Amino acid sequence: MKSEQFRLLWHPTPTQTLRSRAPLRVTAWIERGTYLLSQAFVQPKFMWRPAREMKLDSNRPTLVTETPERIDLLDIARIQDAPNIDRRQFPFVKKCHCFLIETQTEIYLFEAQSIQDKKRIVFGLKLTVSRLASLIMIRDTKAVEEFFEPVSVPGEAPNFAVGS
């Protein structure tokens, strides 16, 4: 799970300004954390960005320059099958393929390509988050080996990581 990418449909939650947002095909992965020489660290994250699609009229892939969406692994409170889906908010969802990732402040709805993929991804994410949390709680150095880059890097944490 930590070394693979997978394709999902992300169904963004409607907001006050955007009442309905179209589902977006994304590539998702687990990003390893990084220790900084300033004794700070950037936490491991579940990340996703729009999937790259080949242009039909050329042989070159389109470049995705957007900053990926992200959730710190330790911010994830719950990963589960989507129990009830409001069809007014998410009219295109295949409920049997969907799962939720909940944090303290947000709920993210993803759709896998099949029921088997959903089960594999949900189980893998649960194991990954629980393993990281348990290794950190018992202060096991395996957490550093498994979830962080092997070398420290100079510098300060980037702006997006400071608020996380």
Side-chain angles (χ1 to χ4, degrees):
M1 175 62 61
K2 291 183 288 187
S3 62
E4 70 176 295
Q5 294 185 345
F6 32 92
R7 293 285 176 104
L8 300 169
L9 272 180
W10 174 40
H11 296 271
T13 305
T15 61
Q16 294 292 349
T17 55
L18 290 169
R19 302 293 282 171
S20 101
R21 296 170 64 185
L24 186 62
R25 184 181 171 109
V26 297
T27 301
W29 68 95
I30 302 289
E31 183 85 16
R32 293 175 63 130
T34 305
Y35 270 104
L36 304 172
L37 292 178
S38 64
Q39 301 301 316
F41 61 91
V42 177
Q43 287 189 40
K45 299 176 182 341
F46 175 73
M47 301 182 77
W48 67 96
R49 76 169 64 183
R52 286 185 272 182
E53 307 267 338
M54 294 292 287
K55 287 186 177 179
L56 296 176
D57 58 346
S58 76
N59 291 332
R60 296 183 306 192
T62 57
L63 295 176
V64 177
T65 56
E66 296 178 18
T67 303
E69 298 283 339
R70 70 187 84 58
I71 306 170
D72 289 347
L73 289 183
L74 294 176
D75 285 348
I76 295 174
R78 181 178 296 143
I79 303 166
Q80 65 178 3
D81 290 347
N84 297 317
I85 296 174
D86 184 354
R87 291 289 181 182
R88 290 171 295 182
Q89 287 186 334
F90 304 106
F92 304 112
V93 168
K94 289 183 186 173
K95 184 177 184 254
C96 60
H97 293 190
C98 289
F99 63 95
L100 298 173
I101 298 178
E102 295 182 39
T103 66
Q104 294 294 329
T105 57
E106 298 284 331
I107 297 175
Y108 301 89
L109 177 64
F110 292 96
E111 184 177 331
Q113 294 179 354
S114 67
I115 294 171
Q116 292 80 16
D117 274 352
K118 177 190 76 168
K119 288 179 180 179
R120 184 181 62 79
I121 291 167
V122 167
F123 185 70
L125 284 173
K126 284 180 177 182
L127 284 178
T128 302
V129 171
S130 63
R131 176 136 178 98
L132 174 62
S134 65
L135 289 174
I136 288 174
M137 285 175 58
I138 63 171
R139 298 183 180 180
D140 193 329
T141 57
K142 288 181 186 172
V144 175
E145 296 168 11
E146 290 183 33
F147 292 95
F148 291 87
E149 293 296 332
V151 294
S152 296
V153 296
E156 299 294 323
N159 291 338
F160 70 82
V162 174
S164 299

